[in-house]
């Protein structure tokens, strides 16, 4: 598959949550998704358990049904307007753009050529911290590896979780035949080629504000 040939640092620092620049009209080949997933399978996994599963959705009816569930979660979330920041916090300056972008994705979610739902074996509800950290630590690095591999192939995505609100996870599981009592979903990802590939570094809080040496 065609690669952008980005360096490791470039792919790590320019893999963005892509919403408005997803190309909904360009098909995504199964082969390129599987190539990215084969890379993802090389991610660390606790005790070599490899308990991950990957559900790709391309059926239009199923995408629409899952997108409707996502929109229900978005409408609830949007009413609260998300996170709040102190006066002078630079994140507040970008909040309106982020909300607008997320709203655009919610309105158009089913237009994505493919959805990805990464899953992990076991129900993680009410696990002690050590159990939850171990399980998520065996899935999330693999998901991030997938996103990095996708970026280097001209694909974009966004890590969303709002379809998991209330009974959304169970309803999604029913649509896709996921055994809800045995499998936990980790997110919902639109998969599409991007409009252009020139993504830049994001503005982040200074390292000094979040770095702690020896004590908090």
């Amino acid at each position: 598959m065609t690669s952008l040939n980005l360096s490791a640092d470039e792919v790590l620092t320019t893999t963005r949550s892509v919403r408005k620049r997803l190309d909904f009209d360009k098909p995504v080949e199964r082969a390129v998704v599987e190539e990215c997933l084969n890379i993802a399978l090389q991610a660390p996994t606790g005790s070599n358990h490899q308990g991950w599963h990957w559900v790709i959705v391309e059926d239009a009816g199923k995408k629409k049904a899952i997108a409707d569930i996502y929109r229900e979660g978005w409408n609830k979330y949007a009413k609260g307007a998300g996170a709040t920041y102190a006066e002078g916090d630079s994140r507040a300056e970008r909040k309106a753009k982020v909300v607008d972008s997320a709203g655009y994705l919610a309105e158009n979610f089913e237009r994505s050529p493919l959805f990805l739902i990464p899953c992990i074996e076991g129900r993680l509800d009410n696990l002690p911290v050590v159990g939850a950290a171990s399980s998520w630590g065996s899935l999330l690095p693999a998901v991030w590896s997938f996103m990095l591999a996708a970026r280097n192939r001209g694909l974009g995505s966004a890590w969303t979780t709002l379809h998991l609100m209330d009974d959304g996870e169970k309803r999604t599981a029913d649509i896709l035949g996921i055994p809800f009592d045995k499998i936990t979903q980790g997110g919902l990802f639109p998969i599409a080629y991007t409009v252009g590939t020139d993504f830049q570094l994001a503005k982040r809080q200074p390292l000094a504000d979040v770095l702690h040496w020896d004590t908090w």
Side-chain angles (χ1 to χ4, degrees):
M1 295 296 168
T2 302
S3 171
L4 300 181
N5 294 316
L6 301 173
S7 70
D9 283 358
E10 286 172 332
V11 76
L12 285 165
T13 56
T14 63
T15 299
R16 304 267 71 86
S17 287
V18 185
R19 304 180 185 95
K20 287 191 172 182
R21 288 178 62 182
L22 294 173
D23 188 342
F24 295 134
D25 298 318
K26 184 176 180 179
V28 176
E29 310 89 337
R30 287 189 176 192
V32 70
V33 174
E34 291 177 356
E35 189 174 279
C36 294
L37 286 173
N38 271 315
I39 291 172
L41 296 186
Q42 294 298 313
T45 169
S47 301
N48 196 32
H49 183 58
Q50 301 180 50
W52 43 50
H53 291 266
W54 312 87
V55 182
I56 304 294
V57 187
E58 59 181 354
D59 178 85
K62 292 179 178 180
K63 287 195 298 179
K64 175 61 165 59
I66 295 168
D68 286 342
I69 293 171
Y70 180 86
R71 275 187 285 271
E72 290 177 18
W74 165 252
N75 289 336
K76 290 183 179 181
Y77 177 82
K79 289 179 180 178
T84 57
Y85 304 104
E87 185 177 351
D89 191 316
S90 62
R91 289 171 292 183
E93 300 171 6
R94 300 186 298 280
K95 182 178 177 179
K97 289 185 177 181
V98 172
V99 171
D100 180 67
S101 175
Y104 172 82
L105 178 61
E107 292 173 4
N108 294 279
F109 216 117
E110 65 267 32
R111 295 178 62 198
S112 301
L114 301 173
F115 293 175
L116 166 67
I117 298 179
C119 301
I120 192 74
E121 292 175 357
R123 290 302 311 169
L124 308 190
D125 316 76
N126 303 316
L127 279 183
V129 171
V130 63
S134 176
S135 294
W136 288 123
S138 290
L139 178 64
L140 304 192
V143 178
W144 183 232
S145 289
F146 171 85
M147 294 183 72
L148 295 172
R151 159 68 174 141
N152 201 37
R153 287 157 178 78
L155 294 168
S157 187
W159 198 319
T160 80
T161 55
L162 293 178
H163 83 291
L164 303 173
M165 289 180 66
D166 302 325
D167 65 345
E169 184 191 6
K170 176 63 166 61
R171 291 160 60 197
T172 301
D174 290 343
I175 292 167
L176 299 173
I178 299 171
F180 180 77
D181 60 331
K182 299 177 181 178
I183 298 292
T184 300
Q185 298 169 44
L188 173 64
F189 296 73
I191 306 296
Y193 282 100
T194 60
V195 178
T197 59
D198 55 334
F199 293 92
Q200 307 298 318
L201 275 68
K203 187 174 182 180
R204 299 297 192 215
Q205 296 295 95
L207 176 62
D209 290 357
V210 295
L211 176 63
H212 311 274
W213 288 92
D214 289 329
T215 187
W216 188 267

